[in-house]
Amino acid sequence: MRTIAICTLGCKLNQAEAEELREKFEERGLRIVEPFQKADFYIIKACAVTQKAEKETRQLISRIKRMFPKTYLIVIGCFTSILRLDREFIGKVDKWIDNKNKEKTDKLILGQIIKKKKGKDELKKRTRAFIKIQDGCQNYCSYCIVPYLRKEISNKPPQKIIQEIKNREKNGCQEIVLVGTNIGNYRIGKYDLKDLLREILDKTAIKRIRLTSFWPTLIDSEFVKLIQNNPRICPHIHLSIQSASSEVLKKMNRPYGRQELEKIIKQLKQIKNINLTADIIVGFPGESEKDFQETYNFVKSSQFLKIHVFKFSVRPGTKASLIEDEISDKIKKIRSNKLIKLGEKLSEKQRKIFINSTSEALIENKRSEYWQGYTPNYLKVFIYPVRSSSESSLYKKSKGEVAFAALTNLRKKDLRQTSNGVKSKQNLTNQIVKVKLVKFYQDGFMGKLVK
């Protein structure tokens, strides 16, 4: 059986497209192997959104070809002409497939050498699935290369999206994540994202619907009410903010200012238990200390669970690359570190709200000695491992619940995966369990199962 490995860099849209490829290859009888294992074919889902991302793509190409010189190497998706024409990669990359032709990848590469053996019902079960609903962008933010790489706008028909969700549900998936270049721009005629969400709620039984990155201006009162009234839509929104200085936002070609952002945050905070995360760019050309302080103060007042801070990097071909008023690397680093530290403090402050609260967590995996999962509002949870109550005096009944012992009080050989303190071989992966968030642990919570 022919083997294929897929290495994915960059955004959740790339991850969704990689999942679609896996399905197509499995349908045609290929065996998918993990990255950095020997395979007949290697696919790299490239990312070129920043210089750092393009550097990682370059390094990955070189690493794969060095490890497996005889593999057939394909690079798909977001790559610049500079990368494709680089002499270093002539002879290393067997095929380049741009975003315009990526939908034909399986036919272009494998159509002549593989036969259909598996149906969709036999696909590997996953806890969470990325569902691509939209692709392409024509917003042309001055700093962004994406519209040049994913310019063509396409919106997947709702009936196809519904069927994909039903297929994932049939295969045991508990949560779907709607992804795209900008999912808030999903529109077919007058049918928009809100209509799609209503149809998913009506025509599927998937337990969790999670959304990816939003432009702030796409949030309105109708959207807020939709989340408020439907607990299956996860109360977590990731906002592509980039700056809170109206002056910098104008240079970025973003169609909003500080006042609009504050109004949007206020609207979203009406949703019970909501957590907000955001992207912020520091060091954009011409960003003054006053501009940065406006962003800093906005972030401080907005109660974000997490912020992703990016130092501005020039992308050739964008309008921002022509702006001469560049900020020094030293100032970028200072501002970045300042925001990162603020983000850590805000995360702790926001998580304190949920200490000793009870929520449901979708368990994704077990790493080291802990089951790990996420609550609907994107709080990471680590579940205590315990021994059977009959094996240890550490367990005492209290108000009908079994108390859980901390890992530090147990020997590793005594650990068992359990439900409510009773020894069990039960695998908690892909189960939605009720947990109490008892204390901070790493970037999330240590939790205990609630009967």
Side-chain angles (χ1 to χ4, degrees):
M1 179 184 292
R2 297 284 186 129
T3 54
I4 189 163
I6 303 175
C7 297
T8 307
L9 298 170
C11 64
K12 288 183 173 62
L13 180 55
N14 260 2
Q15 295 177 45
E17 290 173 349
E19 283 194 13
E20 290 179 354
L21 281 175
R22 288 188 190 97
E23 289 189 11
K24 289 179 180 179
F25 294 141
E26 287 175 332
E27 286 175 18
R28 289 162 173 78
L30 271 81
R31 181 168 62 88
I32 307 298
V33 301
E34 293 298 314
F36 309 115
Q37 292 184 7
K38 186 177 180 180
D40 298 305
F41 297 91
Y42 251 90
I43 288 181
I44 293 176
K45 285 288 295 173
C47 180
V49 69
T50 63
Q51 286 184 322
K52 181 182 178 182
E54 186 166 299
K55 182 180 178 181
E56 289 173 349
T57 298
R58 289 173 174 273
Q59 290 172 337
L60 187 56
I61 291 171
S62 297
R63 181 180 179 187
I64 295 301
K65 211 59 183 178
R66 185 171 63 251
M67 292 176 69
F68 311 109
K70 294 183 179 180
T71 195
Y72 191 91
L73 179 59
I74 310 112
V75 178
I76 302 175
C78 296
F79 51 80
T80 63
S81 57
I82 295 173
L83 178 66
R84 183 174 183 169
L85 298 176
D86 195 319
R87 291 182 180 180
E88 179 185 354
F89 301 117
I90 296 175
K92 287 184 179 180
V93 177
D94 296 285
K95 197 167 189 67
W96 298 86
I97 302 178
D98 59 22
N99 281 309
K100 186 176 180 180
N101 295 301
K102 64 188 174 188
E103 300 296 337
K104 303 175 184 176
T105 298
D106 59 320
K107 295 178 182 178
L108 288 171
I109 301 169
L110 307 172
Q112 303 300 317
I113 60 171
I114 52 182
K115 297 179 180 179
K116 188 171 181 176
K117 292 183 180 180
K118 294 186 179 183
K120 287 189 177 181
D121 290 349
E122 299 173 31
L123 298 176
K124 183 180 178 181
K125 292 184 178 181
R126 296 186 179 94
T127 296
R128 175 189 290 123
F130 295 103
I131 305 291
K132 177 183 171 183
I133 66 169
Q134 179 270 344
D135 196 2
C137 179
Q138 294 179 1
N139 291 321
Y140 291 98
C141 298
S142 63
Y143 57 84
C144 187
I145 196 70
V146 170
Y148 301 94
L149 304 176
R150 291 180 181 265
K151 180 178 180 179
E152 187 176 339
I153 301 293
S154 63
N155 296 287
K156 190 177 290 183
Q159 60 269 26
K160 188 172 181 180
I161 295 170
I162 297 297
Q163 189 56 55
E164 286 184 19
I165 294 172
K166 287 181 177 179
N167 289 341
R168 301 300 198 286
E169 192 181 338
K170 183 187 288 187
N171 283 280
C173 190
Q174 303 267 35
E175 177 179 305
I176 54 106
V177 186
L178 302 183
V179 303
T181 311
N182 188 348
I183 64 169
N185 278 340
Y186 179 85
R187 184 177 293 275
I188 301 175
K190 293 183 178 180
Y191 186 100
D192 63 11
L193 179 64
K194 293 186 286 286
D195 296 312
L196 176 62
L197 287 170
R198 293 186 187 100
E199 193 164 352
I200 293 171
L201 289 164
D202 182 50
K203 294 184 178 180
T204 77
I206 197 75
K207 292 183 178 179
R208 286 188 180 183
I209 304 162
R210 195 176 292 278
L211 306 171
T212 46
S213 184
F214 263 85
W215 272 51
T217 50
L218 298 170
I219 306 295
D220 58 22
S221 58
E222 187 182 355
F223 177 77
V224 168
K225 287 179 181 178
L226 186 60
I227 300 179
Q228 282 177 320
N229 297 332
N230 294 282
R232 287 166 60 196
I233 303 177
C234 295
H236 165 239
I237 300 292
H238 183 76
L239 296 170
S240 177
I241 289 175
Q242 312 308 358
S243 175
S245 161
S246 296
E247 202 60 38
V248 171
L249 287 167
K250 186 177 180 180
K251 292 178 183 178
M252 288 180 168
N253 197 31
R254 306 285 284 189
Y256 53 86
R258 170 71 177 265
Q259 289 185 338
E260 289 91 340
L261 287 175
E262 289 173 344
K263 181 181 176 181
I264 289 160
I265 295 294
K266 187 176 179 180
Q267 278 186 304
L268 286 170
K269 286 295 181 178
Q270 297 172 21
I271 301 170
K272 184 180 179 181
N273 291 331
I274 192 163
N275 276 322
L276 303 177
T277 52
D279 291 332
I280 303 290
I281 294 173
V282 297
F284 188 82
E287 180 188 62
S288 66
E289 187 60 37
K290 178 177 176 290
D291 293 326
F292 172 73
Q293 197 61 44
E294 285 181 7
T295 298
Y296 184 91
N297 292 340
F298 170 79
V299 169
K300 188 175 182 179
S301 66
S302 296
Q303 297 177 296
F304 289 115
L305 175 69
K306 188 173 184 179
I307 56 171
H308 302 271
V309 183
F310 301 90
K311 289 179 284 188
F312 173 79
S313 62
V314 176
R315 300 302 287 133
T318 64
K319 289 184 178 180
S321 66
L322 304 176
I323 302 175
E324 295 182 355
D325 194 5
E326 189 173 351
I327 305 300
S328 71
D329 290 339
K330 181 180 179 180
I331 292 176
K332 287 179 189 177
K333 186 176 181 180
I334 291 171
R335 292 176 182 176
S336 174
N337 289 342
K338 191 173 179 180
L339 263 185
I340 289 170
K341 289 179 181 178
L342 174 62
E344 291 170 351
K345 290 180 181 178
L346 291 174
S347 177
E348 183 174 338
K349 182 179 178 180
Q350 184 66 10
R351 281 185 290 149
K352 278 183 179 179
I353 296 171
F354 300 98
I355 282 282
N356 292 321
S357 67
T358 299
S359 181
E360 290 186 334
L362 173 57
I363 305 303
E364 297 182 8
N365 52 47
K366 182 174 183 287
R367 293 182 181 176
S368 184
E369 306 302 337
Y370 298 95
W371 294 105
Q372 296 182 28
Y374 283 89
T375 65
N377 59 347
Y378 209 59
L379 297 171
K380 186 185 288 187
V381 181
F382 300 83
I383 306 294
Y384 280 118
V386 300
R387 288 186 293 177
S388 166
S389 56
S390 63
E391 293 177 347
S392 172
S393 61
L394 290 171
Y395 296 89
K396 297 179 181 179
K397 297 270 182 134
S398 174
K399 295 184 180 180
E401 293 184 358
V402 178
F404 284 74
L407 176 65
T408 52
N409 293 331
L410 301 174
R411 292 175 298 172
K412 190 171 181 179
K413 68 176 184 176
D414 292 326
L415 296 176
R416 302 286 187 274
Q417 292 78 56
T418 77
S419 175
N420 298 319
V422 178
K423 185 168 66 173
S424 169
K425 295 181 180 180
Q426 181 184 21
N427 186 343
L428 295 183
T429 302
N430 201 30
Q431 291 191 40
I432 294 179
V433 296
K434 199 169 185 179
V435 295
K436 185 175 181 180
L437 309 176
V438 295
K439 65 178 180 180
F440 286 167
Y441 181 73
Q442 294 184 10
D443 57 342
F445 291 89
M446 191 67 75
K448 72 175 183 180
L449 293 168
V450 176
K451 188 174 182 181

